[in-house]
Amino acid sequence: MLFLAVFCGFLAENVREHTVEHRREKQFIRSLIRDVEMDAARLHAIIENRDERMFNLDSLINLLNRPDAAAYSRYIYHHNSYATRMTFRFYSNDGTMLQLKNAGNLRLIRKQQVSDSIMSYDLASRLMVQSGNWEEEMMETYRVLAAEIFNGIELEKTRDEDNNVIRLDYDPPFK
């Protein structure tokens, strides 16, 4: 009788533990979904801003390569103002991911395909952050090169008091 009571207690504890872990798995998944949704919204904003910057950089390159580029300096200065202005770096909302990895909670995810997808997303997020670091390095190189071309006093005039880009109504000189 005592053996049966201990055995039933053991079974009850296993069922309770399984139920608690299943509940924690669902909580982690819900939290991870919220993190991914926030990351997706951030990436959407980054893509929009990078598209705008790419348009301005293409226009800048086309104007700089014209033989009469000085005649278009107001447009060149304008497009240049976007070159390093929109730096939107991606930082993953990784609180849930860190909990899953560091506390050994990834074992709670029962489906291997889901676990693999989570790890793939983590890798992709880290690569996006690294990509932002490389982009920052390229923009710093551009800033150094641009300082050799553009007059800083004139460049300041391409921003209003709220730091919005404005187009000049005259053609400023280059260095």
Side-chain angles (χ1 to χ4, degrees):
M1 195 65 157
L2 181 60
F3 174 75
L4 185 59
V6 170
F7 180 70
C8 286
F10 176 74
L11 289 179
E13 179 61 27
N14 278 347
V15 169
R16 186 195 67 76
E17 188 176 316
H18 178 72
T19 303
V20 168
E21 285 187 354
H22 184 63
R23 192 175 308 132
R24 287 181 66 206
E25 175 190 25
K26 284 184 178 185
Q27 287 173 339
F28 277 122
I29 294 297
R30 278 193 293 273
S31 180
L32 194 58
I33 288 170
R34 281 191 302 273
D35 289 351
V36 170
E37 287 171 346
M38 288 189 292
D39 286 352
R42 178 76 175 147
L43 283 170
H44 181 70
I46 289 170
I47 289 168
E48 284 182 355
N49 285 296
R50 284 185 178 164
D51 285 347
E52 184 177 353
R53 182 173 50 200
M54 188 169 44
F55 168 78
N56 281 288
L57 287 173
D58 285 346
S59 298
L60 176 65
I61 290 167
N62 288 335
L63 289 170
L64 283 172
N65 285 321
R66 292 181 61 104
D68 57 346
Y72 295 94
S73 68
R74 78 180 71 180
Y75 303 105
I76 293 171
Y77 270 83
H78 177 76
H79 292 302
N80 172 71
S81 293
Y82 288 96
T84 58
R85 175 178 171 73
M86 291 177 266
T87 56
F88 290 92
R89 296 193 64 189
F90 175 73
Y91 293 104
S92 178
N93 291 295
D94 62 353
T96 305
M97 187 67 72
L98 290 173
Q99 283 182 328
L100 285 170
K101 291 186 330 186
N102 295 341
N105 291 320
L106 197 57
R107 67 174 173 73
L108 296 174
I109 310 300
R110 292 175 293 170
K111 293 184 179 177
Q112 186 63 42
Q113 182 182 2
V114 173
S115 180
D116 292 345
S117 295
I118 290 170
M119 295 312 295
S120 293
Y121 180 77
D122 180 51
L123 177 61
S125 295
R126 288 186 279 129
L127 289 174
M128 283 296 297
V129 170
Q130 182 61 42
S131 173
N133 294 337
W134 294 328
E135 183 179 22
E136 280 290 326
E137 289 174 16
M138 284 188 285
M139 285 192 294
E140 187 54 38
T141 301
Y142 177 82
R143 285 181 188 106
V144 170
L145 293 173
E148 299 296 319
I149 299 170
F150 297 99
N151 182 317
I153 294 170
E154 298 296 337
L155 209 52
E156 281 292 317
K157 296 175 185 176
T158 64
R159 306 280 175 106
D160 66 12
E161 60 276 352
D162 295 323
N163 203 29
N164 296 313
V165 176
I166 56 173
R167 183 174 293 140
L168 301 173
D169 56 357
Y170 62 94
D171 287 311
F174 297 112
K175 277 189 172 178

